[in-house]
Amino acid sequence: MATRFMPMPSRQPRNLVLFLISIRIMFGLSHAVGEWQAISEEEDMEMERQLSVINKPPIMSFETEFGDILDCIDIYKQHAFDHPLLKDHIVQTSPKNLPKSEGESPRLLPENIKCPPGSVLIKRTTKQDLIMANRLKPSGLNHPHQVPTEPKKGYAFATARYYSHNFGARTIMNVWRPEVASDQASLASLWIANGPVDKLNVLQAGWVVEPLLFSSNYTRLYTHWTVDNYKTTGCVNYLCPGFVQVHREITLGIVLNQISVYKGKQVDIEIAILWDGEWWLKLYNQFIGYWPQKLFYYMYGGANNVMWGGHVISPSNKPSPAMGNGHMPADYDYNTSAYFKQTQIWDNVHLVYPRPDRLESFSTVPACYGAVVINGIAPGGSANLYYGGPGQCKI
């Protein structure tokens, strides 16, 4: 018999520490949205310097139909190795003990976009990317040690949360392009986290629509990481050194141009973050790259939290954007709901389904966004999360 886990009111968390951690995780891409300001000549020069560090000399380059420049970079000259902890790091081209997915991965870029052996495909960072990123200051709770009674204004999320020791997780999510204003964002992600709240280590990956960061309304593949609760470390995709790219045909920041249709064809992506000596990012059955273990303080022995779901960001003075497909999860049907399905936990030997007694759903604004976990319907007892909503609320 299927078991439903309904959204837990934000004022009555089952575990206050987990609640605090959850909010900090979900604010990984949070930021203070401010008005545009003209950059000074000094700022412009500094950004030129940053670009010269981030963008390494390409072996060859490609331009996509969306205006992105994708560079083939020598695998040992990529920006990741500018991190002081990775100066002598030896690239692991593939994991040794992680499970492989069956079937072939769909091609996300034209066949001619492929880097030669010894190089990797990396989306070129532009000055506009840096301008946007500098405007997006990581935020969250102003006082990390204070137990919150309300989520910070301007943010809302609807997720499933699994709190038990793990070595990562994998999930399948359908892809949407929710409408957002230029100063809003809507995303769907998988999070892995561990550590004390004020020094939280977090890895996250999924899709996002965020015009302020990507200067477009396309749905894009994104990642984010931190080792100090978003205070001074980590970033989105390749904006800072850390993530080691190993794939020659797929890059972070790629446009996901195949979008699901309400009551029609659903387009899924399979995302996994799995530990195998390093923390690997997997898209479908392709290992894109990894975050080296040596970057993290509290993820050497695995993690204690896994979350997956939707998150929106909006100035509190305007109606919030849609989450997922813009519909509340009413019928728990693949054709009418935004979803995460067949989510599994990596126990360092097998992929296993989450224990129901360690699983809960959570929505900070239930009137605007829903989150419902249906457990036991899918084969093997897997738990499916149905989430989303139309927004149009002041959050």
Side-chain angles (χ1 to χ4, degrees), residues 35-47:
E35 294 184 358
W36 268 94
Q37 300 175 0
I39 62 173
S40 66
E41 182 177 351
E42 183 178 351
E43 289 175 319
D44 186 69
M45 292 178 62
E46 173 58 22
M47 282 189 288

Side-chain angles (χ1 to χ4, degrees), residues 116-138:
S119 65
V120 292
L121 189 67
I122 294 180
K123 179 182 177 296
R124 185 182 300 179
T125 298
T126 67
K127 186 179 293 187
Q128 190 171 17
D129 294 335
L130 289 184
I131 292 173
M132 298 299 186
N134 289 336
R135 303 289 187 225
L136 309 184
K137 302 300 181 182

